[in-house]
Amino acid sequence: MSVPVRTILLIENDAEDARRIQDALLDDAPSSRRATYVVLHDTRLERGLERLATGDIDLVLLDLTLPDADGLEALARLREQSQNVPVVVLVAADDPAAEDQALQAGAQDVLSKLEIDARALRRSIRYAFERCQTQAELLRLSIIDSMTGLYNRRGFLTLGGQYLHRVNRSGGAYFAVTVNLDGLEDINETFGRASGDDAIRLAAEILKHTFRASDILARLDGDEFVVLVTDVRADAEQIIQRRLELWLEQANALPNRAYELTLRVGIARGDHEEDDGSLEALIARARHDRDAISAAQCDMRA
């Protein structure tokens, strides 16, 4: 079995502390069952964030006294850019209050520089990986709709809100698509609730095939779905409509279908001024557009 190699990003301004940390990591020769480390070192947060953006970093060792970010500001900015990379915060001395604040702000562990040696560092890094994996699994369970595998309302608002926060600062085009499965109540009453559940799952599969992996798909409630389409091109709406019609037609052509799926669709392009950065406002505009489309008898039917 090969030894795992972890890329550690050390963001530390003090040259002596940085040397001690690197020596402790690199001098602790791994056994055949223990990870080995590649250590990258930066003295400023901005440079560290640039490295983190490459996606090649497995864990960050973060000092909280940096020249371009002091205290928990550094951790907040790092967490804003990446939620998935575990972070071990380095503090000058034992400070329970500071440790609690760092953990609440998103660090997986806190290590006093007075305790740094090969054993303590390896233990802290291992714990940070384990805690990050546990937190990720708990988060996944709390934001996923169990019936469809799409995000639920909480997941959509969380991830969609993070995306809008970034795009409202950097610019970029996006829009929301609301999709309603028409006639769900009739399907439940005529064919039973199990058939209604199957119809919901089938509608979810249609959306998964229609949209990209980078788009954020969710089942908001009952028969309503929503998609946040990111990084859109000029003809994205027409492409989505054609793909949705195609997959809906194929779904309704499946053998032994007792009912026909009908989807009502509304689309609202992102508008920083009208929505004021609110995902709920964007969804509301898409719902309004969906109702107008329905009134004009432009429902997407096979």
Side-chain angles (χ1 to χ4, degrees):
M1 182 176 64
S2 61
V3 177
V5 178
R6 307 286 196 184
T7 300
I8 307 294
L9 173 60
L10 170 63
I11 308 178
E12 168 63 69
N13 183 51
D14 186 282
E16 179 60 24
D17 285 338
R19 183 192 61 77
R20 290 194 303 112
I21 292 168
Q22 291 181 83
D23 287 347
L25 285 172
L26 300 178
D27 288 349
D28 183 27
S31 70
S32 60
R33 297 182 180 180
R34 289 161 56 185
T36 188
Y37 303 121
V38 174
V39 183
L40 306 177
H41 175 223
D42 287 306
T43 59
R44 302 179 67 88
L45 180 65
E46 287 298 336
R47 176 57 182 151
L49 293 177
E50 291 175 4
R51 287 190 192 266
L52 189 62
T54 66
D56 298 327
I57 303 301
D58 295 311
L59 179 138
V60 177
L61 296 173
L62 178 67
D63 181 43
L64 294 185
T65 55
L66 300 171
D68 55 341
D70 192 39
L72 292 177
E73 176 196 354
L75 179 58
R77 290 173 60 187
L78 190 150
R79 274 289 166 244
E80 181 179 337
Q81 179 167 315
S82 175
Q83 294 286 332
N84 301 322
V85 176
V87 178
V88 176
V89 164
L90 305 173
V91 294
D94 290 328
D95 186 343
E99 292 180 12
D100 288 343
Q101 290 175 350
L103 293 173
Q104 292 173 9
Q108 272 66 48
D109 199 13
V110 179
L111 186 63
S112 168
K113 294 181 184 180
L114 299 177
E115 302 173 349
I116 288 179
D117 58 28
R119 183 177 181 183
L121 266 174
R122 185 173 289 277
R123 182 174 62 245
S124 181
I125 289 170
R126 182 177 66 250
Y127 176 75
F129 277 117
E130 291 173 353
R131 188 176 186 192
C132 188
Q133 291 171 355
T134 300
Q135 290 172 333
E137 179 61 16
L138 291 173
L139 177 61
R140 187 190 68 80
L141 292 174
S142 72
I143 64 176
I144 296 298
D145 174 55
S146 59
M147 181 179 292
T148 64
L150 304 180
Y151 291 111
N152 58 22
R153 175 182 292 274
R154 177 181 180 182
F156 183 79
L157 294 178
T158 299
L159 298 177
Q162 292 173 357
Y163 175 81
L164 289 192
H165 180 69
R166 293 195 301 270
V167 79
N168 285 336
R169 292 189 308 171
S170 60
Y174 60 92
F175 56 80
V177 180
T178 58
V179 180
N180 269 70
L181 171 59
D182 269 5
L184 179 61
E185 185 175 345
D186 291 339
I187 294 174
N188 285 330
E189 291 178 355
T190 304
F191 303 102
R193 187 163 294 277
S195 293
D197 291 347
D198 286 340
I200 290 172
R201 283 188 283 266
L202 183 54
E205 288 302 314
I206 291 171
L207 296 183
K208 290 176 185 177
H209 287 297
T210 298
F211 294 91
R212 304 165 303 175
S214 58
D215 299 326
I216 303 173
L217 287 71
R219 178 186 176 215
L220 289 186
D221 185 32
D223 63 355
E224 184 178 28
F225 301 84
V226 66
V227 185
L228 183 64
V229 182
T230 63
D231 302 320
V232 301
R233 41 189 275 189
D235 58 348
E237 294 180 30
Q238 291 76 20
I239 292 174
I240 287 172
Q241 179 137 343
R242 288 196 300 270
R243 288 177 58 84
L244 196 52
E245 289 173 340
L246 173 64
W247 285 107
L248 181 59
E249 181 177 359
Q250 292 186 16
N252 281 327
L254 292 173
N256 302 320
R257 296 208 45 77
Y259 53 83
E260 182 180 272
L261 290 183
T262 300
L263 303 178
R264 285 189 298 137
V265 180
I267 297 177
R269 281 194 170 265
D271 186 313
H272 304 309
E273 294 183 0
E274 188 168 354
D275 300 326
D276 194 26
S278 166
L279 199 54
E280 292 280 17
L282 181 63
I283 294 171
R285 289 200 295 112
R287 285 172 174 155
H288 181 270
D289 179 63
R290 176 200 65 203
D291 292 339
I293 289 175
S294 177
Q297 297 184 343
C298 293
D299 291 349
M300 293 183 179
R301 299 175 186 266

